[in-house]
Amino acid sequence: MPIRQLPPDVITKIAAGEVIERPASVVKELLENSIDAGSTRIDLELEQGGSELIRIVDDGCGIAPDELLLALAAHATSKLASAEDLFNVTTMGFRGEALASIAGIAKFTLQSRARGTEIGAEIRSDGGVIGPLKPWSGSPGTRIEVRHLFFNVPVRKKFLKTNASELGQICETLTRIALAHPHVHFTLRHNNRQVYDLPRSENLAERIGLFFGKEIRNALYEIDTPPGPYQLKGLIADPRCDRGNSKLQYLFVNGRWFRDRSLSYALMDAYRNLIMSGRHPIGFLFLTVPANEIDVNVHPTKAEVKFRENATVFSLIRAAVKERLLRENLVPRATMPAQPIAPPEMMPLPTLFMPSRPQPIADADDLGSQIITADTSDPQPPPPPLPMMFPTIPVGTAVQMHDAYLIQETPEGMLVIDQHALHERILFEQVRRRVRDGQLEVQRLLIPEPIELPAAQAAAVLEATAELAMLGLEVSDFGGNTILLSSYPTLLSRRPPHEILAGVVDYLVSKDRAPSPEVMLDHLLATMACKAAVKAGDKLTPAEIQHLLELRALAEESHHCPHGRPTTLLFSRQDLDRQFRRT
Ligand code: ADP
Ligand code: MG
């Protein structure tokens, strides 16, 4: 085929293809225009998932009659004047192509009356064929109707999904814009049925509640970093509201929704150890950065932006979220059974809070601790089963049940503590603190322990020699598939060293990509702590119980184990009273 200049209608369709993929893309462009016009109320009406009709009415600044025709022209905009402006965008739109594109692939009507003028005007386009300008006497603002979308692009029309699915995408589009503009009143009707009525509000949490329900609305923590060139405001949800996917993570910069995997990771990372792996936190994060610090022109539908200082934004998010979560006492609340349990098993309950009978102090060896020959001249006694690290503080007492749970009375109600999860958390923090301070006590083995591993595992361990050394696990190659373990952290001495290493190895080989050293260290610490902690089934002495409770009080985040499982459940006095029908 010879090279030819394409005719204008083909150019329009090609351009439209980039911006307008489906009804939701039209809705996005029109909503953004209404926002840019300073509207305080925006009404949307749809038929058949938007493919038959999209109507939007706003009360924004409107368009003067003599500019209506221009508004439909390609690359015509009131929002940019020069190329430099592209790096200082403060409006949602700036390319001047949306109305032209939409008008080219639908039956399009634009009616508008500029604020402060007596009469407006209207213009129509039938798949790009533009009709005459006519007077229009509606109220100030803009009214746009898009009918029979893609009527002249049948290929596109074929790719549309069910009405329900298209409507779903439109709702998501509206959600993103409405969350960023709580002071605007939005309504959405579909096939004559009201889907949303979101009254104007100054309060983001309220709007979140309207979209996502009370449960989330009542579990939000506010974030507001100090003023500066880069600022973060927003709301994050309690870890107990975690989700199976990351859909309820919304990122905005200067009022514009965007997606960014690395910044979602920053949010995720701040919840590390508070939610289980595979689960995702909920967050609504609003960044403010100087307009010239971002490039919003890197994606056809502006779904992505580029930050000049990506690392700064990453740390800002991670630090702010983490700091906020630390301030909360995140003991998960137990959901009580709806029906009171049949009385027979409950009868002995009154004796529950009697102090437990003293039990014989368990022998250190019974608890699985191994005697290690130290390489110092005066051999050290075996470490105590639970390392004593802190002065005794008053923390009350608890009783052990089923050799797995500790039950404790508190002013609020009753705590049920998972002894393994709690001890794991405590060991994790102790070792981590010491690793960070460079003060990890290491037990050197007089005779290094040879450990034979499957080939892949031996290779993985030797590859991670440096990280393992930071954790006090010194390994070297013994030839074949055998490695030599010559030291391990004293704090974890409750289990034989090869068992601790085994847990670490499992983690190392389960990763197909190398995580960052920090993430890896945390995982390895969690794994080691898990291996070394008391287990369900271990009988604890009263002294050990006491000691665990003391350590619990001193832990940074005693409410979840490093894998994100809760360590403690609270049965509040109120709930108990209610369940027994006392209130
Ligand atoms: P852009 O938003 O990138 O400028 P559009 O094609 O979406 O390009 O719109 C072209 C122009 O039409 C805008 O720059 C604006 O001046 C005007 N316009 C579009 N929609 C509205 C509206 N709802 N209210 C007021 N002016 C509008
Ligand atoms: Mg626009």
Side-chain angles (χ1 to χ4, degrees), residues 337-340 574-583:
Q339 295 289 318
Q574 249 181 348
D575 277 344
L576 290 170
D577 287 349
R578 199 174 313 125
Q579 291 296 320
F580 287 108
R581 312 265 151 89
R582 281 176 168 279
T583 52

Side-chain angles (χ1 to χ4, degrees), residues 33 47 68 84 94 101 105 312 357 400 500 530 533 565-566:
N33 280 344
E47 279 170 25
L68 266 200
E84 288 95 78
F94 53 82
S101 299
I105 51 171
T312 309
R357 255 177 298 122
Q400 190 184 28
I500 293 172
C530 176
R565 284 194 297 110

Side-chain angles (χ1 to χ4, degrees), residues 28-30 32-34 36 77 79 92-99 302:
K28 171 177 187 284
E29 294 295 335
L30 298 180
E32 290 189 351
N33 280 344
S34 297
D36 281 345
T77 177
K79 301 168 194 175
M92 307 285 277
F94 53 82
R95 292 182 186 141
E97 59 189 359
L99 291 191
K302 305 179 195 130

Side-chain angles (χ1 to χ4, degrees), residues 513-563:
R513 251 180 328 126
S516 73
E518 206 205 349
V519 171
M520 173 149 157
L521 218 63
D522 262 11
H523 274 276
L524 295 184
L525 283 173
T527 310
M528 294 202 314
C530 176
K531 285 280 163 196
V534 294
K535 298 272 174 296
D538 288 353
K539 194 169 279 305
L540 301 183
T541 65
E544 285 176 315
I545 292 173
Q546 199 59 31
H547 195 63
L548 259 184
L549 295 180
E550 283 164 27
L551 293 173
R552 173 173 189 273
L554 289 161
E556 276 173 55
E557 292 174 28
S558 60
H559 29 75
H560 286 82
C561 84
H563 296 108

Side-chain angles (χ1 to χ4, degrees), residues 175-234:
T175 306
R176 290 168 185 169
I177 290 175
L179 285 176
H181 301 277
H183 53 279
V184 177
H185 184 164
F186 294 90
T187 66
L188 171 64
R189 298 179 69 79
H190 180 248
N191 291 349
N192 262 325
R193 197 179 61 82
Q194 179 164 299
V195 182
Y196 285 120
D197 183 3
L198 310 164
R200 172 195 167 79
S201 155
E202 289 309 321
N203 185 339
L204 173 66
E206 210 168 284
R207 189 148 280 188
I208 289 174
L210 288 176
F211 279 115
F212 307 111
K214 258 215 224 111
E215 183 219 345
I216 292 175
R217 193 220 175 293
N218 294 337
L220 294 171
Y221 304 125
E222 196 176 340
I223 288 180
D224 193 355
T225 62
Y230 283 69
Q231 236 181 306
L232 178 67
K233 283 182 196 285

